Amino acid sequence: MNAIETKNLEVSRGTFHLGPIDFYVKEGEIFAILGRTGSGKTVLLETIAGFYQEQYEGDVFVFGEDGYDLTPDTRNMGFVYQDAGLFPHLTVEQNIAYGLKMHKVDKETIEEKVSYITDLLSISKIRKQYPATISGGEKQRTALARSLVMNPKILLLDEPFSALDPATRQKMYEEMRRIHKEFNCTIVFVTHDFSEAQTLADTVGIMLHGKMKAIVEADRLFEKEFEDEDIKEFLRGYKMTKKELFDLIIEKFTDLPEVKAILDEKVEIKAKSLTPEEAIGNTERKDYPILTGKDVMIEATYNGVSGQAFTSAPADFSGTLADIMKLDYENDDHAAGLLIAAINAVMGSLGLCDRMIHCKNEGPKLCGREIGKYVKENYEDPKVLVVGYQPSIIENLTSQGTKTRALDLDPNNVGQERCGIIIEHGVDDMADAIEWADMILCTGSTVCNGTLVDYMDLGKPTYFFGTSLAGTAELLGLKRLCFPDLQ
């Protein structure tokens, strides 16, 4: 049976018109409504909930019953908005119990239900607190509890996780999966986040310009060939944001069974900035970015194992893995570098990745030679794009006659001849250079500033070099060129 079905549904709200929309949600599935801001996602969700009773044309069916005959309180649905919508003058437990009291449920049953749901969502300790004193994640759990305590058959969520920090968002994703399993309910959620839709949903409905343009299985969102030009443009225009990148890395990292076992432990991560000599030793050539002050190496240590990452915003740190998960990766470059170094250290300690420490002395020179050799042996006369000024790699490629272009952001390099080629601008010339190239060699430090997203899923061979990407490459399935024992 379908939990929700609409036929020729149309709704007008001011100058905005929704529809006509024909779609259905199967009982028990998780359905994502994906689209840009202003596409009508929330209006559709509110119409399903019965908020615009007698203000729409067409049909809405809830488990086969005509929506015209069902008021919002008889549809057995829970609704949670992005801002949680808690009553500020009521405590957490009073917010949760509000619906039960309105339905005149006896006190003993209310206490029983509130205790059960607060235990389930791990908010028992904040029952007596007011919304102003609790965190964003706790507010969302309270809002979910207020809906779930009514035992709804359908749960409607309007971008419920978009305002949360990455670590809390990942925990809420886990809560949502657990809720779905525990309550055996149908979940429909609105999002503009592609990765969130793919991570959580069974099925995705693409909404554009007030219409449901397509419905597709979540894992085929980028595989299915669409004929509709609006959908093609929408999907072409998608590029993972820095926030989405770090959300994905954290999700993959915290989903590892070995990492789950230590997330709540008081394990300490220590991090510090390294001097150029500590990072790469004494090298023959002196034009590596770390020697010119353009890059700084940060090193994190976990259980005696070190992991490194290049960053432009170093700082020392001492704290737990849980502390690192709470940092603002989107807006704080230090937090991003620290996370990547810590992931390298932890995964290295657990035996899940290797080569987390930069090669020293003549190692970088030998690495450049090995990369040039790899390209020559595996590709026939390729056009190679090097992302990030790495002189040893560029020199080895150009000296063996490989057609080479290189991108960088350092104004001291851009427009200058280096190693036999002119270094191009990392933003202005990127699109043309990518189109020109047969293969790409990209510095792994792009993960720290988020520009890694520009070089993922390009449809041509792309290899990442260096230590920064050690753990992330394993988590995201990226190809890595890094040669061991070149010290």
Side-chain angles (χ1 to χ4, degrees):
M1 177 183 286
N2 294 329
I4 299 166
E5 186 173 2
T6 70
K7 294 181 179 180
N8 298 314
L9 176 65
E10 296 189 58
V11 184
S12 293
R13 303 293 297 166
T15 59
F16 177 77
H17 185 78
L18 177 77
I21 288 180
D22 294 81
F23 90 113
Y24 62 86
V25 179
K26 297 176 183 177
E27 182 177 3
E29 78 171 330
I30 301 179
F31 190 102
I33 302 175
L34 174 68
R36 302 186 184 100
T37 299
S39 61
K41 305 185 299 294
T42 300
V43 174
L44 175 58
L45 207 66
E46 291 174 334
T47 305
I48 291 169
F51 293 178
Y52 306 131
Q53 200 75 334
E54 299 181 2
Q55 297 179 40
Y56 65 85
E57 297 179 6
D59 297 297
V60 176
F61 297 98
V62 181
F63 291 105
E65 291 191 63
D66 193 330
Y68 280 112
D69 302 325
L70 299 171
T71 58
D73 62 325
T74 60
R75 296 186 181 213
N76 203 2
M77 296 180 179
F79 200 113
V80 178
Y81 281 105
Q82 175 183 332
D83 63 0
L86 302 178
F87 298 117
H89 63 290
L90 299 181
T91 64
V92 166
E93 66 180 6
Q94 288 170 338
N95 266 282
I96 295 170
Y98 185 82
L100 296 171
K101 287 185 176 180
M102 292 298 99
H103 282 76
K104 300 187 179 347
V105 176
D106 64 85
K107 289 184 179 181
E108 185 177 340
T109 302
I110 289 176
E111 173 58 29
E112 181 182 324
K113 287 180 174 289
V114 171
S115 293
Y116 170 74
I117 200 66
T118 53
D119 284 344
L120 180 69
L121 295 179
S122 303
I123 52 175
S124 297
K125 293 181 180 179
I126 61 168
R127 284 181 58 166
K128 302 296 182 182
Q129 292 182 229
Y130 288 89
T133 68
I134 62 178
S135 69
E138 289 167 338
K139 288 176 182 176
Q140 286 304 118
R141 284 188 174 91
T142 301
L144 282 169
R146 185 173 60 184
S147 290
L148 292 170
V149 79
M150 303 301 295
N151 198 29
K153 288 185 177 180
I154 299 172
L155 188 60
L156 306 176
L157 308 174
D158 186 15
E159 304 222 28
F161 312 127
S162 60
L164 303 179
D165 65 84
T168 304
R169 191 179 303 116
Q170 294 303 323
K171 290 181 180 178
M172 291 306 300
Y173 289 168
E174 293 178 9
E175 293 286 0
M176 184 165 156
R177 295 187 190 102
R178 191 154 61 96
I179 286 166
H180 181 246
K181 184 177 181 180
E182 181 81 18
F183 286 83
N184 193 30
C185 59
T186 302
I187 298 177
V188 182
F189 71 98
V190 159
T191 184
H192 63 271
D193 187 325
F194 285 77
S195 61
E196 186 170 273
Q198 286 193 296
T199 297
L200 292 175
D202 302 310
T203 307
V204 177
I206 299 174
M207 278 203 70
L208 299 170
H209 314 301
K211 293 180 171 60
M212 187 73 75
K213 286 284 190 173
I215 296 174
V216 61
E217 293 176 6
D219 58 4
R220 296 196 62 228
L221 182 60
F222 290 101
E223 296 177 8
K224 183 178 174 63
E225 294 186 10
F226 297 98
E227 295 183 3
D228 188 288
E229 290 301 322
D230 283 344
I231 298 175
K232 288 181 180 178
E233 180 185 356
F234 177 57
L235 296 178
R236 273 198 306 267
Y238 168 67
K239 183 177 75 173
M240 193 182 297
T241 64
K242 183 178 180 181
K243 178 178 84 65
E244 291 170 341
L245 171 65
F246 281 100
D247 285 353
L248 180 61
I249 292 171
I250 291 170
E251 179 193 353
K252 297 285 188 182
F253 178 62
T254 55
D255 272 351
L256 294 172
E258 299 90 339
V259 173
K260 282 184 177 180
I262 63 171
L263 273 179
D264 295 325
E265 293 180 14
K266 291 294 182 180
V267 296
E268 187 171 42
I269 303 287
K270 290 185 177 180
K272 65 175 184 176
S273 304
L274 303 181
T275 65
E277 185 173 351
E278 287 175 320
I280 66 170
N282 295 306
T283 60
E284 179 180 336
R285 59 184 313 150
K286 304 299 180 183
D287 53 352
Y288 294 110
I290 193 170
L291 297 178
T292 61
K294 299 304 178 184
D295 282 340
V296 177
M297 181 79 81
I298 187 172
E299 181 174 282
T301 303
Y302 168 74
N303 271 359
V305 176
S306 295
Q308 297 176 342
F310 278 111
T311 177
S312 60
D316 293 345
F317 173 89
S318 181
T320 67
L321 190 55
D323 293 332
I324 293 176
M325 295 292 111
K326 296 176 183 176
L327 298 178
D328 181 6
Y329 313 111
E330 184 179 9
N331 302 304
D332 184 347
D333 287 341
H334 162 57
L338 175 59
L339 171 71
I340 297 306
I343 285 176
N344 289 342
V346 172
M347 290 183 65
S349 173
L350 296 171
L352 301 175
C353 74
D354 56 16
R355 292 161 289 163
M356 306 89 64
I357 301 297
H358 201 283
C359 52
K360 293 183 178 182
N361 303 320
E362 292 312 298
K365 177 180 178 180
L366 296 174
C367 182
R369 184 183 303 167
E370 289 297 319
I371 287 178
K373 182 180 177 182
Y374 179 89
V375 171
K376 190 171 185 178
E377 290 179 350
N378 290 277
Y379 294 90
E380 184 176 349
D381 193 27
K383 293 182 287 187
V384 179
L385 171 64
V386 180
V387 180
Y389 178 62
Q390 294 298 328
S392 180
I393 295 175
I394 297 170
E395 185 174 72
N396 275 278
L397 290 172
T398 56
S399 65
Q400 68 186 25
T402 300
K403 302 181 185 70
T404 307
R405 290 171 69 175
L407 302 176
D408 199 44
L409 292 175
D410 183 354
N412 294 320
N413 289 329
V414 176
Q416 302 300 311
E417 183 174 338
R418 300 279 190 268
C419 307
I421 61 172
I422 301 298
I423 305 301
E424 301 175 68
H425 196 281
V427 175
D428 297 344
D429 300 313
M430 179 178 68
D432 179 71
I434 289 174
E435 185 176 356
W436 168 86
D438 296 318
M439 69 171 296
I440 296 167
L441 298 172
C442 182
T443 172
S445 60
T446 51
V447 68
C448 295
N449 61 21
T451 57
L452 175 68
V453 299
D454 295 324
Y455 301 98
M456 295 170 62
D457 303 317
L458 292 177
K460 55 183 65 180
T462 302
Y463 298 87
F464 296 88
F465 56 84
T467 60
S468 298
L469 206 73
T472 302
E474 294 294 330
L475 294 172
L476 302 186
L478 303 175
K479 294 179 180 178
R480 185 177 176 222
L481 280 182
C482 185
F483 300 92
D485 303 323
L486 297 180
Q487 301 299 325

